[in-house]
Amino acid sequence: MRHPEAKTRLPTLGEEPGALLPVSGNGAEAGDGAPSIRLLDYGPERCEETQFRSIAEGLAYQPKGKVQWLNVYGLQEPEVLKAIGDRFGLHPLVLEDILNARQRPKLEDYGSYLFFAARVFHYQEGSGRLGYHQVYLVIGKGFVITFQNQSIGLFQGLRDRLHSGKGLARQRGADFLAYSLIDAIIDDYFGVLDAFTLRVEKADSTLLGNRDNGVLRTIHRLKHDSLRFRRALLPLRDALNQATRGDHPHFGDESRIYLRDAYDHTLHLIESLESSRDMVSGMLDLYLSNQSNRLNVQMRVLTVITIIFMPLTLIVGIYGMNFEYMPELHWRYGYFTVLAGMLAISSLLGYYFWKKRWI
């Protein structure tokens, strides 16, 4: 279930760096209920999944496989995060970043582990607004920890492959698991950017219609959405570029080859996004030009009508002066002659404007 976006937790004045404060609302979509902690403990021959009912139960668990994937849902309780941080030796600033759900995508090296922050988007049902979820990865030797505010099915495909033993994940280490999680995040972008492109194309197809129907509002929303995508994808590209350079021993040489492929996919996403952004910018210019053109056409029609009636008004004004001595006042056919003259003048003017394609 998708939840409405809540307010962002802003830093408190005088707050100590690394302080863990309860989150009453954040920029990402909030989850509800107590935190849920699930562990996938696997190796080439086995894969066992355990859901812990308490922090104490999780801390008492003894790993049996080659790799451990700890997935934490729900970031409302700082005590839970602190206990996990103490167990894996996470820096307080890492835990603070996880609680602040508006972190830009980044990759940070803390020596014994890497901290990776990312953001995934979706279009909310009903309102059609763009929402997002924060995803955090802690990549260490033999383990990966993922933090999400709620379960959104982002890693379900990877979880199913681990259980079934399909693919390479069960045969590789924690660095390949980290790559697979990052790849799932990038794959999710392809779907949401396809939806964004469809919205852009739909708006473009109705742009030159005769009725407004909130086109300007739609263009503004698309422009805002493209900016949010860009703010997430550009730092994600930089983080993956940093991971592929070989500066971090947590990724082996073989995993870095796969990371280069993920980096290439990110470049493809950015190119697709830039193309759609250019299209949205062009739509705005075209919309404004079309509105100006429609206004000019309307003004031209009104001007033509005014010009046609100006001589008629002049004639009527002359004969409405009520002078006693006017040649046509007492002529038997004067009234009909004036009407015929007015009709002829208006017809000639109308024909002239039609030939000029002004009407």
Side-chain angles (χ1 to χ4, degrees):
M1 178 182 295
R2 303 296 190 187
H3 299 271
E5 294 190 57
K7 296 181 179 179
T8 305
R9 181 181 75 83
L10 298 176
T12 305
L13 281 176
E15 175 185 326
E16 181 183 358
L20 302 184
L21 301 181
V23 180
S24 58
N26 49 52
E29 296 196 354
D32 41 3
S36 172
I37 304 174
R38 300 169 65 179
L39 175 69
L40 262 172
D41 189 5
Y42 68 89
E45 305 299 330
R46 58 180 294 281
C47 179
E48 180 180 338
E49 183 169 7
T50 306
Q51 181 162 354
F52 300 120
R53 290 169 291 185
S54 66
I55 284 292
E57 182 181 352
L59 296 178
Y61 182 85
Q62 296 298 321
K64 303 173 184 176
K66 178 182 178 182
V67 179
Q68 288 77 47
W69 172 18
L70 186 67
N71 198 354
V72 181
Y73 295 126
L75 308 177
Q76 292 81 27
E77 297 185 14
E79 296 79 9
V80 174
L81 286 182
K82 188 175 185 306
I84 295 174
D86 293 340
R87 168 64 176 82
F88 291 92
L90 303 184
H91 197 281
L93 291 178
V94 171
L95 302 179
E96 184 185 33
D97 286 347
I98 293 173
L99 278 179
N100 181 8
R102 289 194 69 176
Q103 283 297 321
R104 66 193 298 272
K106 61 181 180 179
L107 179 67
E108 294 181 341
D109 192 342
Y110 283 85
S112 60
Y113 60 89
L114 296 177
F115 176 62
F116 180 82
R119 184 176 295 179
V120 294
F121 294 90
H122 68 276
Y123 279 102
Q124 297 172 347
E125 298 178 4
S127 66
R129 294 187 177 275
L130 188 67
Y132 73 91
H133 295 273
Q134 290 284 159
V135 182
Y136 304 99
L137 275 67
V138 175
I139 306 161
K141 185 176 180 180
F143 71 90
V144 175
I145 312 174
T146 54
F147 297 91
Q148 302 175 73
N149 221 1
Q150 59 176 306
S151 176
I152 56 176
L154 180 63
F155 302 134
Q156 187 58 47
L158 174 60
R159 185 176 287 106
D160 292 341
R161 292 198 302 273
L162 288 172
H163 279 295
S164 63
K166 296 179 179 179
L168 300 174
R170 285 259 295 267
Q171 313 302 322
R172 306 293 175 85
D175 57 344
F176 191 84
L177 171 62
Y179 152 73
S180 301
L181 294 168
I182 294 172
D183 185 63
I185 293 172
I186 295 173
D187 287 345
D188 188 75
Y189 270 99
F190 280 99
V192 73
L193 277 181
D194 283 343
F196 173 71
T197 302
L198 289 176
R199 289 169 180 260
V200 172
E201 292 175 350
K202 182 179 179 181
D204 184 66
S205 64
T206 60
L207 189 61
L208 297 179
N210 293 326
R211 302 183 65 180
D212 186 271
N213 291 328
V215 173
L216 187 59
R217 187 182 299 107
T218 300
I219 294 175
H220 175 73
R221 179 176 295 180
L222 290 173
K223 191 173 182 179
H224 181 68
D225 291 349
S226 69
L227 183 61
R228 296 179 68 185
F229 283 130
R230 194 170 188 270
R231 286 176 175 173
L233 281 173
L234 292 184
L236 179 61
R237 176 199 62 186
D238 296 339
L240 289 176
N241 184 39
Q242 181 183 351
T244 58
R245 288 202 302 261
D247 299 335
H248 307 291
H250 299 281
F251 287 108
D253 293 337
E254 191 166 359
S255 295
R256 278 195 290 270
I257 295 175
Y258 288 97
L259 282 173
R260 285 201 294 268
D261 181 66
Y263 174 75
D264 184 66
H265 289 171
T266 307
L267 295 181
H268 177 70
L269 288 170
I270 293 174
E271 291 173 357
S272 176
L273 174 62
E274 292 299 327
S275 176
S276 296
R277 289 183 74 239
D278 291 341
M279 192 173 181
V280 171
S281 298
M283 286 167 54
L284 182 59
D285 295 338
L286 181 59
Y287 173 80
L288 296 177
S289 298
N290 184 47
Q291 290 297 101
S292 178
N293 182 64
R294 286 174 58 186
L295 179 61
N296 290 336
V297 170
Q298 293 168 356
M299 292 301 298
R300 187 174 62 190
V301 171
L302 293 175
T303 302
V304 166
I305 294 174
T306 302
I307 292 175
I308 291 175
F309 279 93
M310 279 177 62
L312 308 186
T313 305
L314 175 63
I315 294 173
V316 172
I318 291 175
Y319 283 93
M321 290 188 294
N322 297 322
F323 288 112
E324 182 177 354
Y325 299 102
M326 291 184 67
E328 296 85 3
L329 285 180
H330 303 290
W331 185 34
R332 181 177 181 180
Y333 301 105
Y335 172 70
F336 301 103
T337 302
V338 170
L339 286 182
M342 294 169 64
L343 180 61
I345 291 172
S346 60
S347 298
L348 288 173
L349 286 174
Y351 177 74
Y352 175 78
F353 292 139
W354 177 75
K355 290 290 288 183
K356 289 288 186 178
R357 295 187 177 181
W358 291 355
I359 57 175

